[in-house]
Amino acid sequence: MKKILDWIKSPKSDIVLFIIGLVLLNFVGYKSFKRIDLTSSNNYSLSKASKEVVKNLKDPLIVNVFFDEDLPANYSQVYKYLKDLLEEYKSAGNKNFIVNYMDMSKSENIDSATKFGIRKVQDSVYNNNGVSVKLDYRGIAITFGNDVEIIDPIESTGGLEYTLTSTFNRMISSVDMLSSLKAGEKIKVAIYMSESLYK
């Protein structure tokens, strides 16, 4: 024990202890992910309302992201923003907030996108040879219980957090409303038709 203490006190141990400290600091930093938003208008932070929506999820809310990797520059920025936003939701939520990034080079993920109703979008790509047309996937499918919502295509970052939060909230509220029904309790549905449809 005395040898170990003497070695720790000696200058020889400095580099080893420094490396051990770095590894531990890195491990703690990885486990407790926290981003700091230094923009004046908090552009890269979730609003309190958004955090509240995902904080106490009782069932899995799954976000399947169908984006091609080699997007034109403007949509590449949209994809990066979406990823950062979903990371913020994940950080604010519990284990029931799940994000799946689908590799669109795999045929099974293309089939999955088709089943959800997500389609390729035409993009104009400007290069030295002029303008070419490219087809890309830029959509997400959100599932909660038996409910599925599609946001496709995602064109810009503007209002994206609002769109996601309101979609999550709507899906959670409808499932919560149905799950709060007592056994045997009936739901009344009123259908209103115009006269021409009725005929």
Side-chain angles (χ1 to χ4, degrees):
M1 185 71 177
K2 188 175 185 308
K3 282 184 181 180
I4 294 170
L5 288 173
D6 289 343
W7 179 79
I8 289 172
K9 290 176 185 175
S10 74
K12 294 177 190 175
S13 67
D14 289 351
I15 190 77
V16 175
L17 291 174
F18 177 73
I19 291 169
I20 290 170
L22 271 180
V23 168
L24 289 172
L25 189 65
N26 202 1
F27 179 75
V28 169
Y30 175 76
K31 289 293 183 185
S32 58
F33 166 82
K34 185 71 178 158
R35 252 180 14 167
I36 299 169
D37 184 1
L38 299 176
T39 59
S40 59
S41 55
N42 290 328
N43 292 336
Y44 300 98
S45 297
L46 282 184
S47 66
K48 192 175 176 185
S50 294
K51 290 177 182 175
E52 285 297 318
V53 167
V54 296
K55 191 167 80 173
N56 298 314
L57 286 168
K58 294 181 182 123
D59 297 303
L61 190 148
I62 303 164
V63 182
N64 294 302
V65 181
F66 297 93
F67 261 71
D68 278 308
E69 287 293 327
D70 57 338
L71 293 163
N74 53 331
Y75 293 121
S76 184
Q77 289 301 316
V78 172
Y79 185 36
K80 185 181 180 321
Y81 179 78
L82 174 66
K83 280 169 128 175
D84 289 345
L85 201 56
L86 290 173
E87 198 57 48
E88 287 287 323
Y89 278 108
K90 202 169 182 179
S91 180
N94 59 25
K95 63 178 180 166
N96 284 322
F97 188 86
I98 301 159
V99 181
N100 297 321
Y101 293 97
M102 314 308 272
D103 180 354
M104 298 315 291
S105 64
K106 295 183 176 174
S107 60
E108 62 265 25
N109 292 336
I110 292 171
D111 292 343
S112 184
T114 306
K115 284 176 188 169
F116 277 118
I118 291 173
R119 57 196 159 61
K120 281 191 169 189
V121 184
Q122 185 174 308
D123 294 327
S124 298
V125 180
Y126 300 92
N127 52 36
N128 295 340
N129 301 329
V131 181
S132 60
V133 174
K134 191 172 183 298
L135 293 171
D136 294 311
Y137 286 102
R138 290 196 322 268
I140 60 175
I142 306 157
T143 58
F144 186 73
N146 293 325
D147 199 1
V148 177
E149 292 274 348
I150 305 299
I151 303 173
D152 177 54
I154 296 175
E155 299 285 349
S156 72
T157 60
L160 189 54
E161 181 189 344
Y162 174 78
T163 302
L164 287 170
T165 298
S166 56
T167 303
F168 297 157
N169 195 33
R170 185 172 60 249
M171 294 173 82
I172 293 163
S173 298
S174 63
V175 169
D176 285 352
M177 190 172 65
L178 291 173
S179 66
S180 65
L181 292 172
K182 295 178 177 71
E185 192 174 347
K186 294 180 181 176
I187 302 172
K188 285 186 179 179
V189 178
I191 299 174
Y192 299 94
M193 294 189 294
S194 67
E195 193 175 325
S196 60
L197 185 64
Y198 184 75
K199 286 175 184 176

